[in-house]
Amino acid sequence: MAYNLKEVVKRKTRFSAGHRMCAGCGAPPTVRGILSALKEEDNAIITSATGCLEVSSCIYPYTSWKNCSFIHSAFENAGATCSGVETAYRSLKKQGKLNGTKDVKFIAFGGDGGTYDIGLQSLSGAMERGHDMVYVCYDNGAYMNTGTQRSSATPHFADTTTAPAGKVLPGKIQPRKDLTEIMVKHNTAYVAQTALFGNFKDIHEKAEKAIYTEGPCFVSVLSPCPRGWGYPTDMLIEISKLAVDTCFWPLYEVKDGIYTINYKPAKKLPVEEFLKPQKRFKHMFKEGNEWMIKQFQEEVDKKWEYLLTMEKLTHNEN
Amino acid sequence: MIRERLSGNEAVAVAMRQINPDVVPAYPITPSTEVPQYFSSFMANGSVDTEFIPVESEHSAMSACIGASAAGARVMSATSSQGLSLMYEMLYIASGMRLPIVLTCVNRAVSAPINIHNDHSDSMGVRDCGFIQLYCESNQEAYDNLIMAVKIAEKAMLPVMVCFDGFITSHSVENIELLEDDIVKQFVGKYEPEHYLLNPNEFISMGPLDLQNYFFEHRKQLADAMKDSKRIIEEVSEEYAKISKRKYNLIENYRMDDSKIAMVVLNSTAGTAKEVVDKLRDEGIKVGLVKPRTFRPVPVKELVESLKDMKAIAIMDKADSINGFCGPLYSEITSALYSEGLNIPTVNYIYGLGGRDVKTSDIEDVFRSLLKIAKDGKKSQTTYYLGVRE
């Protein structure tokens, strides 16, 4: 069925208002964007890594997780915890111990710290073992819950509290880890990268594919953070769109080894357009730091070219 | 009743087959590796319904146990030493979430230096993690305790660790009496949790952020559950005695009736020490032995009752606290005695670390030194390292 925003927003919510996430944060719309792709009749069990989302959505005795069940156990183990839940389902179902249970879907959420760094082993194990689950990384590019420390997802040159831009150092000295590609190489059933913009068609369609593709699936969502990035809270959607239009955050998916770029900007914007509104890149615009922007642009271009090549190669092969 | 000859690891794997848990996440580590190995062969041959998760680490093993148990499955795993250490964070979470996970801990020394042999540093290192800890002298006890552990865990809503000695118990073949499969099945019954993630009739959230207003009360509930588990362990053991003719108490008193001198010792060394007790008794020397079966909960009342009339006590620790004073068993048992107003000359022996052999002659030396302490009414030193080269 073709995507219809008006229909989708009428679906029962699985993540209710009243949570304590910041205004202008990308995580709540990420969660809603993903969970709204669940069929109304299906049940879901959500796992969350420790992080902003978890500590703001489930504070005893309250919970924002509605019309679904939820578990959090620790920071680095959402992959393993979710794989335990999913395996319990398979075991109990096989033994006929789950009479009357609807289809259950298993979705894990983790920030980039809990996914790219401390939780990478647990995620890798879960994907390799082939659990029927979706792991969603809401990537805000730093340890925002503890106050913007750098992660391996932090963009090159970004100013963070553990890799600050100073007189000698230019912010983060390494480029980002390419986790989406690492997930592709796990022979994952479906891998996608998406962002929050427009009428949420892209995230919805990718969530739907991930949830209803059997086997391990991974979705990476660019999830802006007003505190860590330093943008006005009402700019959430705009900043996401700039990430996409500069090709800093390409929208693409990989299924059965075939790369598909879902959006190619008619006019690819220069990276400055994405960097400029954010305080974390402010130092890059100081006189003498032009090389940083140049290098950043080169890295973005290189990744974009790589994806165009992969798309061409994998589509030609088939 | 079935007579068999099995190693400790085999005995535990057979118990697991008979229990037929829903999910077993495990990661190999010496000397517990055989447990998931034997169990995997049961799976491969279709004799269990279990789903096995071959996780990529022990941290993930306990994480997957937590996920599966929270989902409503009966869950078991096995580990040792570094594996248990890697699980450390998740052990506290398993108990804090009140999940009845049963974990076999085949005791092994903790690095460094690396050593694969037996001592109790691993389970003693996690003694405050909220797991019930059952200690086993023999293969038979490992088998029996594992079956009882399932029922204890589910009634207490606490995870249980069944501990026995690496290689000494895990790899030695002993005569053992097994229960029939259907008797075990009937004994453990169906697992029917009150709240679980897969319950189609309610949505729940587990593992919330718990702030100043509630955290303390929740931890007190955990402490109460551990305290109350004594009663549950006794009830389950009573019930088990009916089907097995083997009755287990919180502690075992061996020839303590008219004894004035006692040794307190865990696990397989109790077997060695019983031999020495018998020998000394044959010489007319009245000595006895106390073997705690539970260390969590601490059987305070029972220990005090058994030890209160002693003239000298040796508490044997196969783990060191590295606190410049004594081992963990010593500090807790002497604390129990002191709390009851007893001031009995009590010495501590750190022994057998890293699998160092403990011979009957070593144990006899300990008893003989206790005789002197009993006679003099005082000790010259508190802590000894039994048989260590200076």
Side-chain angles (χ1 to χ4, degrees):
Chain A
M1 201 175 68
Y3 176 73
N4 182 332
L5 177 63
K6 282 183 185 166
E7 285 306 311
V8 167
V9 295
K10 280 186 207 154
R11 291 185 181 179
K12 68 181 173 194
T13 183
R14 315 253 183 178
F15 188 73
S16 72
H19 59 73
R20 317 223 180 137
M21 304 293 279
C22 306
C25 165
T30 295
V31 171
R32 288 220 178 86
I34 298 285
L35 298 187
S36 65
L38 280 159
K39 290 179 193 159
E40 290 274 272
E41 65 272 23
D42 285 349
N43 201 351
I45 297 176
I46 313 303
T47 304
S48 175
T50 310
C52 288
L53 177 64
E54 184 271 326
V55 300
S56 307
S57 66
C58 190
I59 306 173
Y60 189 86
Y62 305 107
T63 184
S64 278
W65 303 92
K66 200 175 172 183
N67 298 311
C68 61
S69 280
F70 170 84
I71 181 170
H72 153 258
S73 70
F75 185 12
E76 69 280 53
N77 65 351
T81 305
C82 188
S83 71
V85 179
E86 184 266 353
T87 308
Y89 174 67
R90 273 188 290 117
S91 179
L92 297 178
K93 199 176 176 190
K94 176 184 79 179
Q95 297 177 70
K97 290 180 179 173
L98 284 179
N99 294 335
T101 305
K102 301 181 222 175
D103 271 355
V104 186
K105 299 294 169 190
F106 304 92
I107 302 165
F109 288 99
D112 50 287
T115 307
Y116 284 65
D117 291 345
I118 199 168
L120 182 62
Q121 175 184 314
S122 171
L123 169 64
S124 174
M127 294 290 114
E128 183 272 332
R129 291 190 298 272
H131 296 278
D132 189 9
M133 59 179 271
V134 183
Y135 190 104
V136 181
C137 176
Y138 69 100
D139 182 348
N140 49 32
Y143 290 87
M144 299 311 185
N145 194 34
T146 42
T148 323
Q149 291 79 34
R150 63 89 80 186
S151 77
S152 61
T154 301
H156 206 167
F157 306 119
D159 181 30
T160 60
T161 56
T162 50
K167 284 177 185 158
V168 180
L169 292 174
K172 193 190 178 211
I173 55 175
Q174 304 88 354
R176 302 180 68 245
K177 183 195 278 182
D178 194 345
L179 183 67
T180 307
E181 283 303 302
I182 295 169
M183 287 296 107
V184 171
K185 299 300 180 210
H186 277 66
N187 293 321
T188 311
Y190 177 75
V191 174
Q193 200 165 278
T194 183
L196 307 163
F197 69 98
N199 65 356
F200 279 44
K201 180 172 182 282
D202 194 74
I203 188 172
H204 181 88
E205 288 179 347
K206 285 173 178 166
E208 197 166 43
K209 279 185 204 168
I211 294 167
Y212 293 100
T213 297
E214 205 181 324
C217 300
F218 177 81
V219 181
S220 186
V221 187
L222 184 71
S223 181
C225 169
R227 290 179 60 80
W229 293 17
Y231 62 84
T233 56
D234 59 0
M235 247 190 101
L236 169 65
I237 302 298
E238 203 180 333
I239 205 103
S240 298
K241 185 70 166 53
L242 286 169
V244 171
D245 280 334
T246 54
C247 297
F248 167 76
W249 192 263
L251 305 180
Y252 73 106
E253 60 191 350
V254 184
K255 192 169 166 57
D256 301 323
I258 298 167
Y259 282 68
T260 304
I261 300 173
N262 310 96
Y263 173 77
K264 288 171 190 155
K267 185 176 175 288
K268 185 169 166 243
L269 299 177
V271 289
E272 287 98 318
E273 301 282 325
F274 172 64
L275 303 176
K276 195 124 204 192
Q278 303 182 48
K279 277 194 192 132
R280 62 175 173 162
F281 298 120
K282 201 175 156 194
H283 59 291
M284 295 171 77
F285 292 89
K286 281 189 185 153
E287 206 182 322
N289 286 347
E290 296 79 6
W291 64 275
M292 293 184 195
I293 294 174
K294 187 169 168 278
Q295 199 174 326
F296 198 101
Q297 182 69 60
E298 280 165 11
E299 285 162 11
V300 165
D301 291 347
K302 197 173 153 195
K303 177 67 201 281
W304 182 245
E305 288 303 321
Y306 169 81
L307 287 176
L308 290 169
T309 308
M310 288 308 287
E311 184 181 49
K312 207 171 152 196
L313 276 174
T314 54
H315 278 265
N316 283 351
E317 270 174 13
N318 291 276
Chain B
M1 199 258 292
I2 307 156
R3 284 185 195 282
E4 259 289 10
R5 280 184 296 275
L6 298 174
S7 73
N9 281 344
E10 272 178 299
V12 157
V14 168
M16 284 171 72
R17 177 182 63 69
Q18 295 178 315
I19 292 159
N20 193 16
D22 300 308
V23 178
V24 170
Y27 189 80
I29 181 165
T30 305
S32 64
T33 309
E34 288 180 334
V35 177
Q37 268 180 6
Y38 286 123
F39 193 73
S40 298
S41 73
F42 299 143
M43 284 183 56
N45 295 315
S47 50
V48 286
D49 299 310
T50 313
E51 287 291 328
F52 182 69
I53 313 181
V55 282
E56 81 298 331
S57 73
E58 288 90 353
H59 192 281
S60 285
M62 191 42 64
S63 301
C65 282
I66 287 166
S69 181
R74 184 175 270 161
V75 179
M76 304 180 88
S77 186
T79 194
S80 296
S81 180
Q82 306 308 120
L84 191 69
S85 308
L86 189 54
M87 282 182 187
Y88 181 89
E89 178 192 26
M90 300 318 297
L91 298 173
Y92 280 74
I93 293 173
S95 66
M97 291 177 82
R98 306 294 302 275
L99 298 171
I101 295 159
V102 174
L103 178 68
T104 293
C105 173
V106 183
N107 290 115
R108 165 184 150 182
V110 172
S111 295
I114 189 168
N115 174 296
I116 59 166
H117 294 284
N118 170 246
D119 67 37
H120 302 156
S121 319
D122 49 6
S123 58
M124 284 298 164
V126 299
R127 61 190 180 271
D128 293 340
C129 74
F131 270 59
I132 289 170
Q133 289 190 335
L134 303 177
Y135 284 85
C136 313
E137 180 183 330
S138 62
N139 300 2
Q140 184 71 62
E141 290 190 13
Y143 171 82
D144 292 334
N145 274 325
L146 197 75
I147 294 169
M148 284 184 268
V150 173
K151 209 156 184 169
I152 292 165
E154 288 166 13
K155 284 192 175 192
M157 288 178 70
L158 282 177
V160 179
M161 196 179 294
V162 176
C163 309
F164 55 89
D165 289 345
F167 294 109
I168 301 166
T169 307
S170 67
H171 285 63
S172 302
V173 175
E174 290 182 334
N175 290 330
I176 187 167
E177 288 181 7
L178 304 175
L179 300 171
E180 304 282 351
D181 290 1
D182 57 337
I183 290 178
V184 176
K185 193 179 168 185
Q186 212 181 342
F187 178 78
V188 296
K190 262 197 196 163
Y191 176 45
E192 282 166 344
E194 203 181 328
H195 301 286
Y196 57 106
L197 297 171
L198 283 166
N199 186 347
N201 303 315
E202 67 170 355
F203 293 120
I204 58 167
S205 287
M206 296 181 75
L209 175 67
D210 208 28
L211 295 173
Q212 298 92 325
N213 265 352
Y214 295 100
F215 183 86
F216 202 2
E217 281 70 24
H218 288 147
R219 294 307 291 184
K220 174 65 166 41
Q221 286 175 2
L222 181 64
D224 289 344
M226 182 58 82
K227 206 169 173 186
D228 192 42
S229 72
K230 264 180 77 170
R231 176 187 58 79
I232 293 167
I233 297 166
E234 282 171 332
E235 281 169 15
V236 171
S237 306
E238 196 68 51
E239 207 184 320
Y240 191 75
K242 287 183 191 142
I243 60 164
S244 67
K245 307 277 183 287
R246 288 185 291 277
K247 176 68 174 74
Y248 291 91
N249 296 308
L250 297 175
I251 65 171
E252 181 190 336
N253 292 312
Y254 187 75
R255 305 192 77 166
M256 284 294 289
D257 285 349
D258 56 349
S259 180
K260 292 290 171 210
I261 284 172
M263 174 180 284
V264 182
V265 62
L266 294 172
N267 280 11
S268 67
T269 309
T272 313
K274 283 175 183 173
E275 184 85 11
V276 179
V277 169
D278 290 346
K279 186 189 169 219
L280 294 175
R281 285 265 171 183
D282 289 346
E283 293 174 20
I285 305 167
K286 290 178 178 174
V287 297
L289 178 148
V290 173
K291 183 186 78 180
R293 174 183 171 223
T294 66
F295 184 57
R296 290 290 179 270
V298 185
V300 174
K301 191 173 130 262
E302 293 72 13
L303 286 167
V304 168
E305 184 57 33
S306 293
L307 298 172
K308 66 180 189 320
D309 298 324
M310 295 302 111
K311 300 275 180 233
I313 304 166
I315 296 173
M316 309 297 286
D317 266 299
K318 213 172 186 178
D320 196 355
S321 285
I322 325 287
N323 57 5
F325 177 38
C326 67
L329 205 55
Y330 181 86
S331 62
E332 298 210 9
I333 294 176
T334 50
S335 156
L337 295 172
Y338 184 80
S339 301
E340 290 300 313
L342 296 166
N343 188 9
I344 302 165
T346 305
V347 287
N348 186 208
Y349 283 88
I350 310 288
Y351 74 100
L353 299 189
R356 175 68 58 86
D357 261 350
V358 181
K359 301 186 285 285
T360 49
S361 57
D362 299 322
I363 302 287
E364 192 174 331
D365 288 346
V366 173
F367 275 118
R368 297 220 181 261
S369 71
L370 286 182
L371 285 172
K372 191 173 178 313
I373 292 170
K375 196 173 152 226
D376 299 346
K378 60 179 198 300
K379 58 183 180 182
S380 57
Q381 187 180 331
T382 295
T383 305
Y384 299 86
Y385 286 77
L386 187 62
V388 79
R389 290 187 300 272
E390 294 296 343

